[in-house]
C-alpha cells in the first residue's frame, strides 16, 4: 500500500497519543479522504451539479432582467417626479456616449453616479426591491435608461 505524509496540529497529535492504539489514525484518514473524494466526484461529474448550474444561470439571468426593468421603471418615475433639466441632460449624454461606444468622460460619469447615490434612489434599490447588491449595476443601467427615455419623450413635446 502506498504511503502518504499528512500534517496535523500539535493539539491533535497530543490527543492521539493519549489514546495510544485505540484509534487507527491511518484508517480514519483513509476513510475521511475517501468520503471527501466521493463528494468531490459528485460535484464535478454529477448530473445533479449540472442541474444546479443551469438553475442558477436561469435565476441569475431572470434576476438581471428584473433588476434592469425595475430600475427602468424607477428611472421613469424619478424623472417625472424629481428630474431636472441639468440632471436629465447629463444622463442622456451619458447614455448616448455609451451607446455610441465612446469613452465616457470621468466628470460626466461621476456626476451621473452622484445622482444615483442620492438616498431616494439607492434606498429604493436596497429596501423596495430586495435584489442582492451584485445586481446594482443592472438596476443602475435600467434607471439611467428609464430616466433618459422619459426625458427624451418629454423633450419631443417641448
Amino acid at each position: 500500500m502506498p504511503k502518504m505524509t499528512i500534517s496535523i496540529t500539535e493539539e491533535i497529535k497530543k490527543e492521539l497519543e493519549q489514546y495510544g492504539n485505540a484509534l487507527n489514525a491511518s484508517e480514519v484518514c483513509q476513510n475521511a479522504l475517501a468520503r471527501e473524494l466521493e463528494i468531490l466526484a459528485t460535484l464535478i461529474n454529477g448530473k445533479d451539479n449540472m442541474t444546479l448550474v443551469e438553475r442558477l444561470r436561469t435565476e441569475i439571468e431572470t434576476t438581471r432582467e428584473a433588476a434592469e426593468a425595475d430600475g427602468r421603471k424607477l428611472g421613469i418615475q424619478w424623472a417625472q417626479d424629481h428630474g431636472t433639466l441639468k440632471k436629465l441632460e447629463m444622463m442622456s449624454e451619458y447614455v448616448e456616449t455609451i451607446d455610441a461606444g465612446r469613452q465616457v468622460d470621468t466628470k460626466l460619469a461621476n456626476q451621473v453616479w452622484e445622482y444615483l447615490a442620492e438616498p431616494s434612489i439607492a434606498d429604493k434599490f436596497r429596501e423596495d426591491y430586495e435584489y442582492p447588491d451584485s445586481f446594482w449595476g443592472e438596476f443602475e443601467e435600467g434607471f439611467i435608461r428609464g430616466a433618459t427615455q422619459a426625458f427624451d419623450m418629454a423633450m419631443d413635446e417641448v
Side-chain angles (χ1 to χ4, degrees):
M1 182 178 295
K3 293 187 182 225
M4 181 177 168
T5 302
I6 64 166
S7 298
I8 58 174
T9 64
E10 199 59 44
E11 185 178 305
I12 291 175
K13 183 178 185 237
K14 287 179 184 175
E15 284 188 56
L16 278 172
E17 289 171 349
Q18 283 180 346
Y19 294 104
N21 292 332
L23 179 68
N24 183 336
S26 179
E27 184 179 334
V28 170
C29 289
Q30 284 180 54
N31 291 338
L33 284 170
R35 279 192 311 274
E36 290 301 315
L37 288 169
E38 187 177 321
I39 290 168
L40 188 58
T42 301
L43 277 173
I44 293 172
N45 304 321
K47 177 179 99 179
D48 292 339
N49 201 46
M50 290 311 295
T51 303
L52 171 62
V53 168
E54 289 304 315
R55 188 173 65 246
L56 289 174
R57 281 184 182 147
T58 301
E59 184 178 349
I60 288 168
E61 185 58 32
T62 301
T63 304
R64 277 190 180 127
E65 290 170 1
E68 194 273 337
D70 285 340
R72 192 176 283 252
K73 289 178 205 168
L74 185 62
I76 291 168
Q77 179 185 352
W78 174 85
Q80 292 169 343
D81 296 344
H82 307 287
T84 65
L85 182 61
K86 180 182 176 184
K87 289 179 181 181
L88 290 167
E89 281 179 336
M90 282 187 193
M91 287 187 182
S92 183
E93 182 183 344
Y94 180 86
V95 169
E96 287 173 13
T97 304
I98 289 175
D99 287 349
R102 295 189 315 263
Q103 181 70 29
V104 176
D105 175 65
T106 304
K107 182 180 177 186
L108 175 63
N110 287 340
Q111 287 173 322
V112 169
W113 299 127
E114 281 178 28
Y115 299 147
L116 290 170
E118 290 177 357
S120 61
I121 299 168
D123 291 348
K124 278 265 189 210
F125 172 74
R126 288 179 177 81
E127 294 169 9
D128 294 355
Y129 294 103
E130 297 183 15
Y131 292 115
D133 284 345
S134 58
F135 294 97
W136 177 237
E138 286 82 358
F139 188 86
E140 285 176 331
E141 181 177 342
F143 182 93
I144 293 169
R145 290 189 180 278
T148 300
Q149 184 179 11
F151 173 65
D152 291 342
M153 289 178 71
M155 291 304 289
D156 288 344
E157 299 294 320
V158 173

